[in-house]
Amino acid sequence: MRIALFVTCLADTLFPQAAVATVRLLERLGHEVVFPEGQTCCGQMHVNTGYQAEALPLVRRHVRTFEPYDVVVAPSGSCVGSVRHQHAMVARGAGDERLAGRAEAVGRRTYELSEFLVDVLGVTDVGAYYPHRVTYHPTCHSLRMLRVGDRPLRLLRQVRGLDLVELPQGEQCCGFGGTFAVKNADTSTAMLADKLRHVLSTGADVCTAGDASCLMHIGGGLSRLRTGVRTVHLAEILAATESSGPAGPAERTAVTA
């Protein structure tokens, strides 16, 4: 299968290892991964802060960039949620019904990594090896918008060497919420404190999730407390093998479309 990688802004600028791991994993499973160079921000931040008119050109560009591909995969429930649930809305708000239809078509072909692996490829054992005690944080958009359910957990349970421990009150938001953490810093910090307490209660070495944004927020809190607990994207765990080591190499990149 030829898969287009929707890398997302955060992965591209701050967490490229999550994108590289996504490519390595999908290639290991026998698929070709391409990186459409025309991609930019999906416009989620603009829509969520009330700038729908400013988001419209980004929606047009996203649709134009990914329309040629049968399958689009991203290591982010948040951005996939935006593509599926916001793009057509933005287009219709601007009176562009044709763009809305095209956006819906692209959205139907766009998948968060765990749902693509489980629902499209039909695999839960991806041949991963990760000898660590791990707890999983279900991010809000993946949980509530995409409804990925236990798909990430089903994948993690098949990783050799991994000791998976349940995160108490895992479905509670970590407090990031994009610009929410900036506009409501005190509330965000209080929510983060609860999340950190639950993560530390598991005794896990690693906290994982399917969104780099939430991991950035949680990881920052864990680092400031000098807990020694790391945050690692789900894709990195699934891409790790015995031959590559616990974290896996980061030398491979997607080919350019």
Side-chain angles (χ1 to χ4, degrees):
M1 186 182 297
R2 191 166 186 256
I3 302 166
L5 175 67
F6 170 30
V7 72
T8 80
C9 296
L10 208 60
D12 185 44
T13 56
L14 295 175
F15 301 99
Q17 66 272 19
V20 171
T22 300
V23 174
R24 193 168 68 246
L25 170 62
L26 293 173
E27 288 184 341
R28 190 174 77 221
L29 293 174
H31 304 282
E32 178 189 3
V33 183
V34 297
F35 178 78
E37 289 192 327
Q39 63 183 285
T40 58
C41 175
C42 66
Q44 178 185 181
M45 180 178 66
H46 304 69
V47 178
N48 290 349
T49 49
Y51 292 91
Q52 291 200 20
E54 288 77 8
L56 184 61
L58 296 172
V59 172
R60 285 199 180 106
R61 186 180 185 93
H62 187 93
V63 170
R64 184 171 66 248
T65 299
F66 287 101
E67 208 166 27
Y69 300 95
D70 293 331
V71 176
V72 182
V73 174
S76 169
S78 178
C79 295
V80 171
S82 178
V83 169
R84 284 197 199 161
H85 297 282
Q86 293 181 336
H87 279 194
M89 176 193 70
V90 169
R92 288 196 173 95
D96 194 335
E97 188 60 39
R98 181 173 180 275
L99 177 62
R102 293 168 61 203
E104 287 175 338
V106 171
R108 286 192 294 269
R109 302 196 296 272
T110 303
Y111 298 91
E112 181 269 340
L113 178 62
S114 73
E115 62 175 1
F116 177 72
L117 293 170
V118 175
D119 295 349
V120 179
L121 298 186
V123 299
T124 53
D125 187 346
V126 296
Y129 171 74
Y130 197 79
H132 294 283
R133 187 175 175 89
V134 176
T135 193
Y136 168 72
H137 165 64
T139 66
C140 291
H141 284 172
S142 66
L143 188 69
R144 296 173 176 87
M145 292 184 73
L146 296 184
R147 301 190 183 280
V148 300
D150 69 343
R151 291 170 183 82
L153 292 171
R154 289 162 65 185
L155 291 160
L156 289 169
R157 290 184 187 117
Q158 297 299 318
V159 175
R160 296 191 312 281
L162 188 147
D163 179 15
L164 182 63
V165 288
E166 183 178 355
L167 179 63
Q169 298 185 41
E171 294 186 0
Q172 288 187 356
C173 177
C174 71
F176 180 63
T179 55
F180 173 83
V182 177
K183 294 182 176 181
N184 302 276
D186 290 343
T187 303
S188 173
T189 300
M191 296 170 73
L192 175 62
D194 288 340
K195 181 62 64 175
L196 297 182
R197 177 164 50 85
H198 293 312
V199 169
L200 294 175
S201 75
T202 66
D205 306 313
V206 171
C207 177
T208 191
D211 276 283
S213 53
C214 298
L215 291 175
M216 177 177 66
H217 192 54
I218 297 169
L222 292 169
S223 176
R224 286 191 294 274
L225 293 176
R226 300 186 179 183
T227 63
V229 180
R230 297 179 296 128
T231 52
V232 178
H233 195 283
L234 175 67
E236 296 176 74
I237 293 176
L238 298 179
T241 62
E242 289 187 75
S243 61
S244 66
E251 75 278 4
R252 301 193 69 183
T253 57
V255 297
T256 300

